[in-house]
Amino acid sequence: MSALPIAAVERDTGIPKDTLRVWERRYAFPQPVRDDKGERLYPAEQVEKLRLLRRLLDQGHRPGNIVSASTDALAALLEPTSERGRTPSDPGIAALIELVRLHRSAELRATLQQHLVKLGLQRFVAELVAPLSRAIGEAWLQGEIGVAEEHLFTEQVQNLLRSSINSLGPSGRPPRVLMTTLPGEEHILGLLMVEATLAPEGVQCISLGAQTPLADITQAARDGRFDIVAVSFSAAFPARRAFLAIEQLRDALPESIALWAGGAALQGKRKRIDKVQQIAQLDDLLNALAAWRKTN
Amino acid sequence: MSALPIAAVERDTGIPKDTLRVWERRYAFPQPVRDDKGERLYPAEQVEKLRLLRRLLDQGHRPGNIVSASTDALAALLEPTSERGRTPSDPGIAALIELVRLHRSAELRATLQQHLVKLGLQRFVAELVAPLSRAIGEAWLQGEIGVAEEHLFTEQVQNLLRSSINSLGPSGRPPRVLMTTLPGEEHILGLLMVEATLAPEGVQCISLGAQTPLADITQAARDGRFDIVAVSFSAAFPARRAFLAIEQLRDALPESIALWAGGAALQGKRKRIDKVQQIAQLDDLLNALAAWRKTN
DNA sequence: GCTCATTGTTTGTCCTGGACAAAGTGTTGA
DNA sequence: TCAACACTTTGTCCAGGACAAACAATGAGC
């Protein structure tokens, strides 16, 4: 079986090199082989267990309790939560997840399209895409679906949303909104959901996609005379870093440009930041928009 | 002015922490301030210079010669190449770059759309998007446009391509192609160009988007009964890592599934890999497709 | 019983300084 | 002009120590 060097393990599992080494020192796991240069080589099974560990950490477990446990014990930890925390989801959503799981991309696309036509863009996002994304995220945590399935889902939804938004055509009304995610956040579904909610209201949305450095955001916001900068954070993004980055961005932006921030990473944290509009749910977006239009 | 900790600099510049420290040791640059814990804090000007350095490294310069040079000297290094290597580009392309530079997103979108309708999807990609992407990449290296502008461009093109591909509707003919990029490669325009070229030929393209781990690709390729796995590499991806990863992927895939690899990172490198179809240009794609259909 | 402040433990990230192979450069000989 | 060789540069890895922030446990007061 193949074994990976430490840099590859970092890329594959998302666990930083420093952390991998310190776990080895403290918990005696992982225990990579060494090559002739004395460098770590992680066997495939250990990488697999590391991925499992990362899922458990995202669920709120702590390293000290789980890193040195056996793979079987870890697998057992996944089950109980899956019964306790399982959202009794809509049958429509369960059916869609099943399509994702089975790689039935053609049917998935058709079914989503159907819902889109039936509900209209805004309700499609609020009532279907949002809960479905959450459910997919949970299913990934539970190990019920893999990375490939999650990617497949994201791509299909992205295609639909982008097509719909694109077909709305350009708008001339204010506000002008600049949308992006910050460095380290690569998930853009949240951004697209925001755009799909705002664009039908005649808002001019310009997206920069994922991971724009702070300096470039502020520069672009000034140059493009934007009224609002909107950033989004997925559940995978550490809340602490999110608040830090938002504060930095707020400081760097001129006061005249509003900053809107939302996404799962900020949910449930009571912390508020001065002069930042926090968006807890998609509904808040339309309220915030109405408020902006009233005062401008 | 604000100063960034080492992790933020790594994210913003793409230069690994280890490299930042070793440059400081060897070339006396950067020279970050220390906070009260003794940790590095990089002033904004130094981060700016680091970004400039990265552009120069991508152009082929070597650290020893440039890291300790003054910012002015570095800026001077950019100019000469810009005259020497400047592609005498199509006036249409130059006009589009200008729109990107000026953030005229509405006009950019309209102009692209115009070209798309005029040329048709496949020629639009081959004759406009491909050279334009190259030109944008070069303009970024020269510092003529920033990260935000590049992102803006990518988003607009993505919207158009995804809409067009989406409107083609599903196809039932073989081959089935699984497309993605490997971990570390986040640019997906190349992938979309491939899809836009193949889809009109009735090929069933399923994209997983960016950065799918190797294990998940092979798993998905088997589960979905794909005939071909296609991966793409941007110019920013180090060629060496690309070849390494391709070999690994080839080994992990069953022989019955073909592997196609292409993109700027592989251009000009004579190296060939056994049992891998290398795609140098978009034209090759259609040849490779014809060849596949002939023998299957 | 519950809330809030305080103390102790866990954990990720940063530090220094050393090592080494792979990639790049220059030189020599055919 | 090309190939083989030695020399230099450069990124990445290693060990082992340190520390603050996040978290858990404890106790006091109501």
Side-chain angles (χ1 to χ4, degrees), chain B residues 4 13 16 22 63 76-77 79 87 120-121 153 157 167 204 223 233 239 241 268 289:
Chain B
L4 303 180
T13 65
V22 98
L77 277 180
E79 296 309 325
T87 329
L121 182 55
F153 162 77
V157 172
S167 69
Q204 292 181 64
D223 290 356
F233 297 90
R241 276 228 306 254
L289 174 62

Side-chain angles (χ1 to χ4, degrees), chain A residues 210-246:
Chain A
Q211 315 212 58
T212 311
L214 286 187
D216 298 271
I217 299 176
T218 56
Q219 190 61 46
R222 282 172 214 249
D223 290 355
R225 311 211 164 185
F226 284 93
D227 303 302
I228 298 167
V229 169
V231 293
S232 115
F233 298 90
S234 75
F237 202 90
R240 203 182 153 275
R241 277 229 304 255
F243 283 110
L244 212 92
I246 293 172

